[in-house]
Amino acid sequence: MKVMKFGGTSVGSPERMKGVASLVTKSGEPTFVVLSAMSGTTNTLIEISDYLYRKNPEGANEVINNLEHKYLGHIEDLYATEEYQKKTREFIMEEFNYLRTFTKDLFTSFEEKSIVAQGEIISTNMVVNYLQEQGIKATLLSALDFMRTDKNAEPDSQYIKEKLTAIMKENEGYQIYITQGFICRNAYGEVDNLQRGGSDYTASLVGAAVNAEEIQIWTDIDGMHNNDPRVVENTEAVRQLNFEEASELAYFGAKILHPTCVQPAKYAGIPVRLKNTMDPDAEGTIIDNVLVRGKIKAVAAKDNITAIKIKSSRMLGASGFLRKVFEIFESYQTSIDMIATSEVGVSMTIENDSHLIEIVDELKKYGTVTVDSDMCIVCVVGDLDWSNLGFETLAADAMKDIPVRMISYGGSNYNISFLIKESDKKRALQSLSKVLFN
């Protein structure tokens, strides 16, 4: 069985939904399908929640009415028979009446998560109704019945596997199984969501739970490219990536994939394939546990980086200095991307600068602090084991005309990272492409 995940753009209109239906039924084999909400829906549901937080039910109702009108307008374009038009129309009206109930009671983050979950619930019902109208043996499995997080807000993999295995046994014989991406229940049974990775995370967790032969992530891009196509001309899709390489690229700027969402597939040994709904015959990118030796695969960049340097002669030979520094970042729940140390100083980069002022104030207890804003991390990914002679020199040579604030090499066998000014990003990416790939 394959698992196929489609994002909001892929189900963004009746025409796109029909295209998804064609793709999932093409093989004729049992397929597990994970769907996002229609593009724009989640943002609109968050807007409704914002009005309710501000105790403005009139504003919320107006947005609800407009969204309901939009969905009702899709029905005749999607369904050919009066039976399924009526069935879906009644479902959508029931859904939006449910949303209106939130305008009359106390509103908290718990209610917000229930509202946001309705986007995926609506899209999956619409698609399964369309498949059934076409005579396809399809069924809808609610993610809220098996997708759960633990008390640390991490997916409860054992629970997911046990529940989903039992549900699949109860629903044997279907060609298409559809569920919602992104949404789940938390350890206390409340409606929640997976946050990081969203629907991609759901697909990876489902794939691991059902021991799928392959997990396919369908987007509007032809796989993961070897550089940013918005900045560099003539980029190419990377045909194969190791799981570690894919995670590095995703973390450092390749937005097609979230770095955490492939972990369940990696541990289960299930390949993940990135495919393009606009060009379904394109090969895309396969992500697996195979490492191609001696090859640099791709370059990615991460903007909005802040560099913090703390210099102190007191740290010379002093034990516990780095622990004290890291505890400051931990206390403000701010993660560090890159780090470089010397005998008298340490430099770090962060992406989340919401507590920058407080962090700098605390760091001043231990030394002189300087801050560089509007920075960018450029990451070169591939087989970059230290035993590969000349690889680090090749990457550095491509950056010879770019001022480099920091270099990180050796923390991973899969990347070299350079910290530069954002204003130099375009030149850096173009130079790296020229040297590494051309």
Side-chain angles (χ1 to χ4, degrees), residues 1-70:
M1 176 180 283
K2 289 182 180 178
V3 173
M4 302 174 73
K5 175 264 172 180
F6 295 89
T9 304
S10 298
V11 291
S13 68
E15 183 181 359
R16 294 273 174 85
M17 287 183 173
K18 290 177 182 179
V20 165
S22 176
L23 287 170
V24 302
T25 56
K26 190 174 182 179
S27 69
E29 298 174 358
T31 304
F32 204 116
V33 181
V34 177
L35 298 181
S36 297
M38 288 181 74
S39 56
T41 298
T42 300
N43 287 339
T44 305
L45 293 172
I46 291 171
E47 183 184 1
I48 292 167
S49 299
D50 287 342
Y51 277 114
L52 294 176
Y53 275 127
R54 290 166 173 75
K55 296 180 172 57
N56 184 355
E58 294 83 5
N61 274 318
E62 184 174 344
V63 179
I64 291 170
N65 292 341
N66 290 337
L67 188 60
E68 180 182 35
H69 180 73
K70 175 184 174 182

Side-chain angles (χ1 to χ4, degrees), residues 391-411:
F391 274 34
E392 70 281 3
T393 306
L394 193 64
D397 187 55
M399 301 289 287
K400 64 183 180 182
D401 296 323
I402 310 293
V404 176
R405 168 72 173 75
M406 279 173 64
I407 299 176
S408 175
Y409 176 55

Side-chain angles (χ1 to χ4, degrees), residues 41 92 109 146 153 176 195 199 253 291 316 324 332 334 340 354 385 391-392:
T41 298
I92 287 175
S109 60
F146 62 86
I176 305 296
Q195 298 177 15
S199 297
L291 176 63
L316 183 64
K324 292 172 184 176
Y332 290 102
T334 301
S354 57
D385 188 273
F391 274 34
E392 70 281 3

Side-chain angles (χ1 to χ4, degrees), residues 145-246:
D145 289 340
F146 62 86
M147 193 62 61
R148 189 176 80 170
T149 55
D150 58 23
K151 291 182 180 179
N152 296 316
E154 295 294 336
D156 189 338
S157 300
Q158 188 61 35
Y159 176 91
I160 293 167
K161 186 176 180 65
E162 290 175 1
K163 291 292 287 186
L164 188 53
T165 299
I167 290 170
M168 293 294 284
K169 282 185 179 179
E170 294 170 4
N171 292 273
E172 289 181 342
Y174 286 95
Q175 181 184 343
I176 305 296
Y177 298 86
I178 291 185
T179 197
Q180 300 87 15
F182 180 61
I183 67 175
C184 64
R185 291 191 187 275
N186 59 27
Y188 310 100
E190 301 155 340
V191 175
D192 210 326
N193 56 66
L194 295 173
Q195 298 177 15
R196 298 164 300 173
S199 297
D200 292 350
Y201 211 176
T202 302
S204 190
L205 290 162
V206 167
V210 302
N211 195 28
E213 61 181 90
E214 184 174 280
I215 299 164
Q216 296 181 352
I217 307 294
W218 289 77
T219 66
D220 55 358
I221 303 172
D222 181 20
M224 198 174 283
H225 279 234
N226 62 1
N227 210 324
D228 189 340
R230 298 167 299 182
V231 177
V232 179
E233 294 181 355
N234 302 318
T235 63
E236 295 179 353
V238 182
R239 295 308 174 198
Q240 186 274 342
L241 288 168
N242 178 271
F243 277 114
E244 298 290 347
E245 294 170 336

